[in-house]
């Protein structure tokens, strides 16, 4: 299966709503009267997750400053725009999207708008969606389940030809090799089927070098997602 190809298996799409200010993207959106939209969420080798957010109606520097107040998050500015920017949140601990991945869900949309949080996720049928939802709601009693529906599978983010062109144009040969090996080895599965150390051993490189290559590849692809196919140079 290609890197972006949709799953042929049915999934359950769920939507949750919450207003708890202990979640960074909810708290920041409330305090700054702004909007945060999750573009992608990727696992890191240290057990945390990298969440890539668009922010609008606020200066990125104001968002990044919240990292000094929150122990479970590191924030890096990736790009600045006139009315916002793109930032990387490295998260651990009490994050609803992070917890949902541990239960078997795949977060697809995470938004914080003026103090209101919204989380849309897909739960593969084999993960027992009803059990995942029940556990998630028990652990997050402030959360409301807004909707639940069945879907045929996960839609691709790019047409096949366009995605391959992006891979060829924006990644080095080494980055493509390592990204492909990580994907095919199950590095991006929930739960993870291989570790960064496994991939590093396969290429006879250190774990630090693996992290450098994989994060550079991910950031280039995410830049394309943020700014279009001509970005990411």
């Amino acid at each position: 299966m290609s890197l972006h190809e949709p799953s042929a298996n049915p999934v359950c799409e769920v939507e949750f709503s919450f207003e708890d200010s202990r979640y960074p993207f909810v708290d920041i959106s409330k305090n700054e009267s702004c909007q945060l939209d999750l573009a992608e969420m990727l696992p890191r080798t240290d057990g945390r997750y990298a969440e890539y957010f668009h922010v609008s109606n606020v200066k990125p520097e104001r968002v990044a400053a919240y990292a000094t107040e929150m122990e479970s998050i590191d924030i890096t500015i990736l790009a600045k725009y006139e009315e916002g920017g793109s930032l990387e949140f490295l998260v651990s601990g009490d994050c609803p999207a992070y917890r949902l991945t541990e239960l078997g869900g795949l977060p697809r949309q995470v938004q914080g708008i003026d103090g209101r949080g919204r989380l849309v996720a897909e739960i593969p049928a084999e993960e027992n969606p009803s059990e995942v939802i029940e556990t998630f709601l028990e652990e997050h009693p402030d959360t409301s389940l807004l909707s639940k529906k069945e879907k045929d599978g996960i839609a691709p983010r790019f047409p096949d030809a366009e995605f391959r062109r992006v891979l060829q144009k924006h990644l080095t040969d080494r980055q493509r090799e390592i990204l492909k090996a990580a994907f095919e080895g199950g590095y991006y599965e929930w739960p993870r089927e291989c570790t960064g150390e496994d991939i590093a051993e396969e290429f006879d490189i250190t774990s630090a070098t693996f992290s450098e290559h994989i994060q550079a590849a991910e950031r280039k692809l995410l830049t394309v997602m943020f700014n279009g196919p001509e970005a990411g140079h």
Side-chain angles (χ1 to χ4, degrees):
M1 185 172 70
S2 66
L3 184 59
H4 71 291
E5 190 173 292
S7 169
N9 297 322
V11 298
C12 177
E13 182 182 85
V14 293
E15 180 177 353
F16 299 102
S17 174
F18 39 87
E19 300 181 25
D20 196 320
S21 61
R22 74 175 182 269
Y23 306 134
F25 65 97
V26 175
D27 186 43
I28 293 170
S29 74
K30 179 180 180 179
N31 293 338
E32 300 295 334
S33 298
C34 66
Q35 179 170 336
L36 291 84
D37 293 276
L38 183 71
E40 188 59 275
M41 183 175 181
L42 299 170
R44 285 285 173 254
T45 54
D46 60 3
R48 296 187 294 175
Y49 276 84
E51 298 179 347
Y52 295 89
F53 280 93
H54 288 299
V55 299
S56 53
N57 303 320
V58 65
K59 291 185 179 297
E61 292 87 351
R62 291 188 64 87
V63 176
Y66 281 85
T68 61
E69 305 173 12
M70 302 174 177
E71 296 181 358
S72 63
I73 187 170
D74 293 321
I75 303 176
T76 302
I77 298 173
L78 302 179
K80 300 179 183 179
Y81 313 128
E82 184 175 352
E83 297 295 333
S86 301
L87 300 98
E88 177 189 69
F89 287 35
L90 280 177
V91 301
S92 59
D94 192 14
C95 170
Y98 181 95
R99 177 55 180 150
L100 199 55
T101 63
E102 294 180 327
L103 294 173
L106 305 172
R108 292 305 180 195
Q109 295 181 44
V110 179
Q111 289 182 314
I113 305 176
D114 296 330
R116 293 180 179 272
R118 175 174 175 267
L119 169 58
V120 177
E122 292 170 341
I123 307 173
E126 60 268 23
E127 296 292 343
N128 193 339
S130 294
E131 184 175 316
V132 171
I133 294 169
E134 180 180 0
T135 301
F136 185 75
L137 290 175
E138 286 179 352
E139 295 180 357
H140 301 80
D142 60 298
T143 300
S144 299
L145 176 64
L146 299 182
S147 66
K148 173 185 174 183
K149 62 183 179 181
E150 297 295 324
K151 292 177 59 177
D152 290 336
I154 300 170
R157 292 184 181 273
F158 296 100
D160 186 73
E162 177 64 21
F163 191 85
R164 293 183 183 279
R165 188 179 77 83
V166 168
L167 288 176
Q168 292 297 324
K169 181 176 181 180
H170 297 291
L171 303 188
T172 66
D173 291 343
R174 193 60 158 174
Q175 289 167 355
R176 284 195 298 273
E177 290 173 353
I178 290 177
L179 188 65
K180 183 173 184 290
F183 177 76
E184 292 180 346
Y187 181 77
Y188 292 106
E189 295 296 327
W190 280 272
R192 185 177 284 173
E193 296 176 356
C194 72
T195 66
E197 288 78 7
D198 295 331
I199 305 300
E201 184 177 350
E202 179 180 340
F203 285 89
D204 195 24
I205 57 177
T206 66
S207 296
T209 300
F210 164 79
S211 295
E212 179 182 343
H213 284 305
I214 201 75
Q215 293 179 30
E218 290 168 355
R219 285 196 173 187
K220 286 183 180 180
L221 292 179
L222 287 161
T223 298
V224 172
M225 291 175 62
F226 284 141
N227 299 328
E230 298 308 315
H233 296 288

